[in-house]
């Protein structure tokens, strides 16, 4: 019966894709940055064949893990519900004028029947159960599935021996919490979360790990504790959901099966500290995997389609779930359904893709001759969410948009630099799972990511050419986009390829909205530690995270590259 229902849903999804169905509230229509027809329809016959995905990484030895201590019993969970058939169609969008001087409020979230909070950390089958009661799951959330790739182990921290000390006035000091060395299931990324998202962690977090199958332990590594400046704006639906948690930045440590952690507080530590150990799951299978190709968590591997091939279903949708079809459909004017990457275009072809150029206007600084040839850089190659293996069942369904894009905020992920470019998709899947399952966000926080080799990745779902509302720069997510360079650049210089990729990406995306990369941008603060809520702030169109919030991000070495990036981006647009 379940198979029959899935088949019926797939047929219904195929029919629905031709309808101009909007997933946003009627008043929350968003502009089409390309000036193209608003309804997303079936692909035209002239759509080029899907390009080949990233080359498969070299085979590595499979993981071997020993017996683990018994784990707490897993809390019972309701059976997953099938996704709504209405989600198979990518949302249509409608035009709004992007020329308003005042930054508009963020568009409202979808109605309560479709805007549920994400499941609590450790909620999917195969994940270690939390000792805290799980929050009830709202009806509109994407249901958890028993076969989600990857996993999260959520381990409560406790006092370490001899950790409390007397303060000068005789009061109990801050002390330490942590875990002593132990064997765990394989993981590749670590982070710490706690109950109250508004409670800061003033202190240090250090971890050391043991590589899978090895005997040696790493040196102690610092985990960035100041992470509250990332996330959704205050007083927005995503920023007030009851499932949000305080969190450190995530740290990539590579394939590991042993961990030790210590958290030292300079002030009383927040309650409910938990260590999150994230396994990114296997990379997506290549187009034509070689027979007998090895499998492991960070190498290419075959993956069964989430929906069976159904007679009468268009070939471009075969094997795509409703959520996957929706996430791919919003990019269907740029690449085929299910494409693993969006091909680059020359500047001339990029300009031809904009039949009606947007007015070249910056708030408070109108530019003359707005009807002239648009300033826009060539579209760069962008690896899609499917290309890096995003599991669309993790995020909340539906997409949320802001009105336009006036500025780009540059970040570093603070996950460390000990990753290879072949591992970048695994790093992204780990951050994605940490943002959603551990921190309680609705999706991946950044709009785009860039690795050390200059590859550009689609971040939060909703369409790379559309003004998707992200959760990256607390207080200034409205009318902006966030770009995270994978790595930590406080002491290490960012690779030239990554800096060039930022310039290429901003030349194209800001150009879609008529923004000069060397010009100013005016945004209204949603609240933060640097600007009060409601204050209009002048930024550079390409700004660093620290410009909007008192933070180290994006690291001084990357931040110092931004002036050159603005000039290069403007050259790509043809302004210089």
């Amino acid at each position: 019966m379940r198979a029959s229902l899935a088949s019926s849903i797939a047929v219904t999804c195929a029919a629905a894709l031709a309808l101009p169905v909007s997933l946003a509230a009627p008043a929350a229509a968003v502009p089409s940055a390309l000036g193209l027809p608003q309804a997303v329809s079936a692909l035209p016959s002239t759509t080029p064949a899907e390009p080949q995905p990233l080359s498969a990484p070299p085979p590595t030895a499979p993981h071997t893990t020993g017996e683990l201590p018994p784990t707490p019993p897993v809390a019972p969970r309701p059976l997953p519900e099938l996704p709504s058939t209405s989600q198979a169609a990518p949302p249509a969008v409608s035009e709004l004028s992007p020329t308003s001087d005042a930054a508009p409020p963020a568009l409202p979230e979808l109605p309560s029947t479709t805007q549920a909070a994400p499941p609590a950390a450790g909620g999917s089958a195969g994940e270690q159960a939390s000792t805290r009661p799980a929050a009830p799951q709202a009806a509109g959330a994407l249901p958890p599935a028993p076969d989600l790739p990857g996993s999260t182990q959520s381990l409560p921290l406790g006092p370490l021996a001899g950790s409390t000390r007397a303060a000068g006035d005789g009061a109990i000091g801050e002390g330490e919490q942590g875990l002593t060395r132990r064997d765990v299931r394989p993981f590749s990324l670590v982070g710490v979360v706690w109950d109250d998202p508004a409670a800061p962690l003033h202190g240090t977090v250090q971890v050391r790990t043991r590589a899978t199958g090895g005997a040696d332990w790493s040196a102690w590594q610092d985990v960035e504790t100041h992470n509250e400046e990332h996330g959704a704006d205050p007083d927005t639906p995503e920023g007030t959901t009851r499932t949000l948690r305080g969190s450190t930045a995530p740290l990539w440590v590579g394939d590991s099966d042993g961990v030790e952690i210590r958290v030292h507080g300079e002030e009383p530590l927040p309650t409910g500290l938990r260590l999150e150990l994230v396994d990114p799951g296997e990379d997506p299978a290549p187009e034509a995997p070689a027979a007998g190709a090895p499998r492991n968590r960070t190498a290419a591997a075959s993956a069964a389609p989430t929906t069976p091939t159904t007679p009468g279903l268009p070939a471009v949708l075969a094997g795509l779930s409703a959520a996957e079809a929706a996430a791919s459909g919003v990019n269907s004017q740029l690449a085929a359904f299910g494409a693993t990457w969006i091909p680059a275009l020359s500047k001339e072809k990029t300009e031809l893709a904009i039949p009606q150029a947007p007015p070249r206007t910056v708030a408070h600084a109108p530019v003359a001759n707005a009807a002239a040839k648009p300033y826009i850089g060539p579209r760069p190659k962008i690896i899609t969410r499917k290309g890096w293996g995003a599991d669309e069942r993790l995020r909340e369904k539906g997409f949320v948009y802001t009105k336009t894009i006036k500025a780009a905020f540059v970040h570093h992920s603070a996950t460390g630099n000990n990753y290879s470019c072949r591992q970048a998709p695994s790093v992204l899947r780990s951050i994605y799972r940490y943002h959603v399952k551990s921190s309680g966000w609705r999706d991946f926080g950044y709009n785009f990511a860039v690795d050390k080799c200059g590859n550009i990745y689609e971040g939060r779902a909703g369409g790379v050419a559309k003004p998707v509302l992200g959760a990256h720069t607390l207080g200034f997510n409205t009318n902006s986009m966030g770009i995270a360079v994978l790595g930590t650049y406080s002491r290490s210089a960012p690779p030239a390829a990554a800096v060039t990729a930022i310039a290429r990406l901003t030349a194209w995306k800001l150009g879609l909205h008529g923004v000069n990369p060397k010009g100013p941008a005016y945004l209204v603060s949603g609240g933060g530690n640097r600007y009060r809520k409601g204050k209009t702030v002048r930024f550079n169109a390409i700004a660093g995270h620290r410009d909007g919030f008192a933070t180290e991000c994006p690291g001084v070495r990357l931040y110092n590259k931004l002036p050159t990036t603005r000039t290069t981006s403007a050259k790509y647009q043809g302004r210089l």
Side-chain angles (χ1 to χ4, degrees), residues 445-464:
Y446 308 104
N447 299 102
F448 296 93
V450 173
D451 69 23
K452 62 175 66 175
C453 293
N455 296 307
I456 300 171
Y457 301 85
E458 177 184 16
R460 178 163 288 206
V464 297

PDB file of all heavy atoms in Angstrom, residues 445-464:
ATOM      1  N   GLY A 445      22.819  27.553   6.794  1.00  0.00           N
ATOM      2  CA  GLY A 445      22.715  28.983   7.092  1.00  0.00           C
ATOM      3  C   GLY A 445      23.126  29.913   5.980  1.00  0.00           C
ATOM      4  O   GLY A 445      22.477  30.933   5.731  1.00  0.00           O
ATOM      5  N   TYR A 446      24.220  29.591   5.265  1.00  0.00           N
ATOM      6  CA  TYR A 446      24.774  30.491   4.255  1.00  0.00           C
ATOM      7  C   TYR A 446      24.107  30.271   2.901  1.00  0.00           C
ATOM      8  O   TYR A 446      23.684  29.161   2.562  1.00  0.00           O
ATOM      9  CB  TYR A 446      26.280  30.244   4.104  1.00  0.00           C
ATOM     10  CG  TYR A 446      27.050  30.288   5.402  1.00  0.00           C
ATOM     11  CD1 TYR A 446      27.482  29.113   6.013  1.00  0.00           C
ATOM     12  CD2 TYR A 446      27.347  31.498   6.027  1.00  0.00           C
ATOM     13  CE1 TYR A 446      28.201  29.135   7.199  1.00  0.00           C
ATOM     14  CE2 TYR A 446      28.058  31.527   7.219  1.00  0.00           C
ATOM     15  CZ  TYR A 446      28.476  30.342   7.799  1.00  0.00           C
ATOM     16  OH  TYR A 446      29.176  30.378   8.979  1.00  0.00           O
ATOM     17  N   ASN A 447      24.055  31.315   2.102  1.00  0.00           N
ATOM     18  CA  ASN A 447      23.507  31.198   0.750  1.00  0.00           C
ATOM     19  C   ASN A 447      24.466  30.487  -0.200  1.00  0.00           C
ATOM     20  O   ASN A 447      24.026  29.773  -1.108  1.00  0.00           O
ATOM     21  CB  ASN A 447      23.163  32.577   0.189  1.00  0.00           C
ATOM     22  CG  ASN A 447      22.119  33.293   1.014  1.00  0.00           C
ATOM     23  OD1 ASN A 447      22.437  34.180   1.802  1.00  0.00           O
ATOM     24  ND2 ASN A 447      20.862  32.898   0.870  1.00  0.00           N
ATOM     25  N   PHE A 448      25.757  30.686   0.003  1.00  0.00           N
ATOM     26  CA  PHE A 448      26.770  30.048  -0.838  1.00  0.00           C
ATOM     27  C   PHE A 448      27.955  29.659   0.038  1.00  0.00           C
ATOM     28  O   PHE A 448      28.171  30.230   1.110  1.00  0.00           O
ATOM     29  CB  PHE A 448      27.263  30.992  -1.946  1.00  0.00           C
ATOM     30  CG  PHE A 448      26.209  31.390  -2.942  1.00  0.00           C
ATOM     31  CD1 PHE A 448      25.474  32.560  -2.775  1.00  0.00           C
ATOM     32  CD2 PHE A 448      25.951  30.606  -4.061  1.00  0.00           C
ATOM     33  CE1 PHE A 448      24.506  32.927  -3.681  1.00  0.00           C
ATOM     34  CE2 PHE A 448      24.985  30.963  -4.973  1.00  0.00           C
ATOM     35  CZ  PHE A 448      24.251  32.135  -4.789  1.00  0.00           C
ATOM     36  N   ALA A 449      28.724  28.684  -0.458  1.00  0.00           N
ATOM     37  CA  ALA A 449      29.986  28.315   0.176  1.00  0.00           C
ATOM     38  C   ALA A 449      31.055  28.229  -0.899  1.00  0.00           C
ATOM     39  O   ALA A 449      30.763  27.955  -2.072  1.00  0.00           O
ATOM     40  CB  ALA A 449      29.859  26.988   0.917  1.00  0.00           C
ATOM     41  N   VAL A 450      32.291  28.473  -0.502  1.00  0.00           N
ATOM     42  CA  VAL A 450      33.439  28.420  -1.407  1.00  0.00           C
ATOM     43  C   VAL A 450      34.512  27.595  -0.720  1.00  0.00           C
ATOM     44  O   VAL A 450      34.790  27.821   0.463  1.00  0.00           O
ATOM     45  CB  VAL A 450      33.974  29.838  -1.716  1.00  0.00           C
ATOM     46  CG1 VAL A 450      35.267  29.767  -2.516  1.00  0.00           C
ATOM     47  CG2 VAL A 450      32.925  30.657  -2.453  1.00  0.00           C
ATOM     48  N   ASP A 451      35.117  26.626  -1.424  1.00  0.00           N
ATOM     49  CA  ASP A 451      36.189  25.853  -0.808  1.00  0.00           C
ATOM     50  C   ASP A 451      37.549  26.435  -1.166  1.00  0.00           C
ATOM     51  O   ASP A 451      37.665  27.401  -1.926  1.00  0.00           O
ATOM     52  CB  ASP A 451      36.072  24.359  -1.150  1.00  0.00           C
ATOM     53  CG  ASP A 451      36.354  24.040  -2.620  1.00  0.00           C
ATOM     54  OD1 ASP A 451      37.041  24.817  -3.307  1.00  0.00           O
ATOM     55  OD2 ASP A 451      35.876  22.977  -3.090  1.00  0.00           O
ATOM     56  N   LYS A 452      38.605  25.847  -0.623  1.00  0.00           N
ATOM     57  CA  LYS A 452      39.953  26.393  -0.789  1.00  0.00           C
ATOM     58  C   LYS A 452      40.445  26.303  -2.227  1.00  0.00           C
ATOM     59  O   LYS A 452      41.399  26.998  -2.589  1.00  0.00           O
ATOM     60  CB  LYS A 452      40.925  25.680   0.152  1.00  0.00           C
ATOM     61  CG  LYS A 452      41.060  24.192  -0.104  1.00  0.00           C
ATOM     62  CD  LYS A 452      42.136  23.554   0.778  1.00  0.00           C
ATOM     63  CE  LYS A 452      41.788  23.588   2.225  1.00  0.00           C
ATOM     64  NZ  LYS A 452      42.793  22.845   3.061  1.00  0.00           N
ATOM     65  N   CYS A 453      39.796  25.481  -3.049  1.00  0.00           N
ATOM     66  CA  CYS A 453      40.174  25.377  -4.460  1.00  0.00           C
ATOM     67  C   CYS A 453      39.362  26.301  -5.358  1.00  0.00           C
ATOM     68  O   CYS A 453      39.528  26.289  -6.581  1.00  0.00           O
ATOM     69  CB  CYS A 453      40.035  23.937  -4.944  1.00  0.00           C
ATOM     70  SG  CYS A 453      41.217  22.810  -4.187  1.00  0.00           S
ATOM     71  N   GLY A 454      38.460  27.086  -4.770  1.00  0.00           N
ATOM     72  CA  GLY A 454      37.681  28.032  -5.552  1.00  0.00           C
ATOM     73  C   GLY A 454      36.387  27.473  -6.097  1.00  0.00           C
ATOM     74  O   GLY A 454      35.720  28.151  -6.890  1.00  0.00           O
ATOM     75  N   ASN A 455      35.982  26.275  -5.703  1.00  0.00           N
ATOM     76  CA  ASN A 455      34.684  25.748  -6.121  1.00  0.00           C
ATOM     77  C   ASN A 455      33.576  26.473  -5.370  1.00  0.00           C
ATOM     78  O   ASN A 455      33.696  26.713  -4.165  1.00  0.00           O
ATOM     79  CB  ASN A 455      34.604  24.243  -5.840  1.00  0.00           C
ATOM     80  CG  ASN A 455      35.600  23.444  -6.648  1.00  0.00           C
ATOM     81  OD1 ASN A 455      35.655  23.569  -7.872  1.00  0.00           O
ATOM     82  ND2 ASN A 455      36.396  22.630  -5.981  1.00  0.00           N
ATOM     83  N   ILE A 456      32.508  26.806  -6.073  1.00  0.00           N
ATOM     84  CA  ILE A 456      31.374  27.523  -5.497  1.00  0.00           C
ATOM     85  C   ILE A 456      30.221  26.544  -5.341  1.00  0.00           C
ATOM     86  O   ILE A 456      29.907  25.776  -6.261  1.00  0.00           O
ATOM     87  CB  ILE A 456      30.953  28.705  -6.385  1.00  0.00           C
ATOM     88  CG1 ILE A 456      32.112  29.689  -6.543  1.00  0.00           C
ATOM     89  CG2 ILE A 456      29.728  29.414  -5.813  1.00  0.00           C
ATOM     90  CD1 ILE A 456      31.858  30.779  -7.575  1.00  0.00           C
ATOM     91  N   TYR A 457      29.557  26.583  -4.185  1.00  0.00           N
ATOM     92  CA  TYR A 457      28.474  25.646  -3.870  1.00  0.00           C
ATOM     93  C   TYR A 457      27.200  26.405  -3.528  1.00  0.00           C
ATOM     94  O   TYR A 457      27.235  27.429  -2.843  1.00  0.00           O
ATOM     95  CB  TYR A 457      28.849  24.765  -2.678  1.00  0.00           C
ATOM     96  CG  TYR A 457      30.100  23.953  -2.876  1.00  0.00           C
ATOM     97  CD1 TYR A 457      31.361  24.510  -2.603  1.00  0.00           C
ATOM     98  CD2 TYR A 457      30.049  22.640  -3.327  1.00  0.00           C
ATOM     99  CE1 TYR A 457      32.521  23.769  -2.777  1.00  0.00           C
ATOM    100  CE2 TYR A 457      31.203  21.892  -3.501  1.00  0.00           C
ATOM    101  CZ  TYR A 457      32.437  22.454  -3.226  1.00  0.00           C
ATOM    102  OH  TYR A 457      33.589  21.728  -3.407  1.00  0.00           O
ATOM    103  N   GLU A 458      26.071  25.873  -3.983  1.00  0.00           N
ATOM    104  CA  GLU A 458      24.768  26.368  -3.552  1.00  0.00           C
ATOM    105  C   GLU A 458      24.583  26.033  -2.086  1.00  0.00           C
ATOM    106  O   GLU A 458      24.840  24.914  -1.649  1.00  0.00           O
ATOM    107  CB  GLU A 458      23.668  25.711  -4.382  1.00  0.00           C
ATOM    108  CG  GLU A 458      22.263  26.102  -3.979  1.00  0.00           C
ATOM    109  CD  GLU A 458      21.192  25.353  -4.764  1.00  0.00           C
ATOM    110  OE1 GLU A 458      21.520  24.314  -5.397  1.00  0.00           O
ATOM    111  OE2 GLU A 458      20.031  25.799  -4.743  1.00  0.00           O
ATOM    112  N   GLY A 459      24.152  27.015  -1.294  1.00  0.00           N
ATOM    113  CA  GLY A 459      23.927  26.790   0.123  1.00  0.00           C
ATOM    114  C   GLY A 459      22.466  26.582   0.428  1.00  0.00           C
ATOM    115  O   GLY A 459      21.871  25.576   0.045  1.00  0.00           O
ATOM    116  N   ARG A 460      21.850  27.544   1.118  1.00  0.00           N
ATOM    117  CA  ARG A 460      20.437  27.409   1.498  1.00  0.00           C
ATOM    118  C   ARG A 460      19.574  27.240   0.262  1.00  0.00           C
ATOM    119  O   ARG A 460      19.759  27.913  -0.751  1.00  0.00           O
ATOM    120  CB  ARG A 460      20.013  28.624   2.317  1.00  0.00           C
ATOM    121  CG  ARG A 460      18.550  28.626   2.728  1.00  0.00           C
ATOM    122  CD  ARG A 460      18.242  29.574   3.849  1.00  0.00           C
ATOM    123  NE  ARG A 460      18.771  29.105   5.127  1.00  0.00           N
ATOM    124  CZ  ARG A 460      18.258  29.448   6.309  1.00  0.00           C
ATOM    125  NH1 ARG A 460      17.199  30.239   6.385  1.00  0.00           N
ATOM    126  NH2 ARG A 460      18.800  28.997   7.432  1.00  0.00           N
ATOM    127  N   ALA A 461      18.598  26.337   0.354  1.00  0.00           N
ATOM    128  CA  ALA A 461      17.735  26.019  -0.782  1.00  0.00           C
ATOM    129  C   ALA A 461      16.807  27.180  -1.103  1.00  0.00           C
ATOM    130  O   ALA A 461      16.416  27.957  -0.227  1.00  0.00           O
ATOM    131  CB  ALA A 461      16.918  24.762  -0.484  1.00  0.00           C
ATOM    132  N   GLY A 462      16.451  27.279  -2.391  1.00  0.00           N
ATOM    133  CA  GLY A 462      15.522  28.306  -2.832  1.00  0.00           C
ATOM    134  C   GLY A 462      15.860  28.875  -4.192  1.00  0.00           C
ATOM    135  O   GLY A 462      15.070  29.631  -4.757  1.00  0.00           O
ATOM    136  N   GLY A 463      17.036  28.547  -4.727  1.00  0.00           N
ATOM    137  CA  GLY A 463      17.415  29.034  -6.053  1.00  0.00           C
ATOM    138  C   GLY A 463      18.600  29.972  -5.987  1.00  0.00           C
ATOM    139  O   GLY A 463      18.546  30.992  -5.297  1.00  0.00           O
ATOM    140  N   VAL A 464      19.679  29.655  -6.718  1.00  0.00           N
ATOM    141  CA  VAL A 464      20.896  30.460  -6.637  1.00  0.00           C
ATOM    142  C   VAL A 464      20.710  31.856  -7.205  1.00  0.00           C
ATOM    143  O   VAL A 464      21.427  32.780  -6.823  1.00  0.00           O
ATOM    144  CB  VAL A 464      22.068  29.752  -7.350  1.00  0.00           C
ATOM    145  CG1 VAL A 464      22.399  28.433  -6.682  1.00  0.00           C
ATOM    146  CG2 VAL A 464      21.802  29.552  -8.834  1.00  0.00           C
TER     147      VAL A 464
END
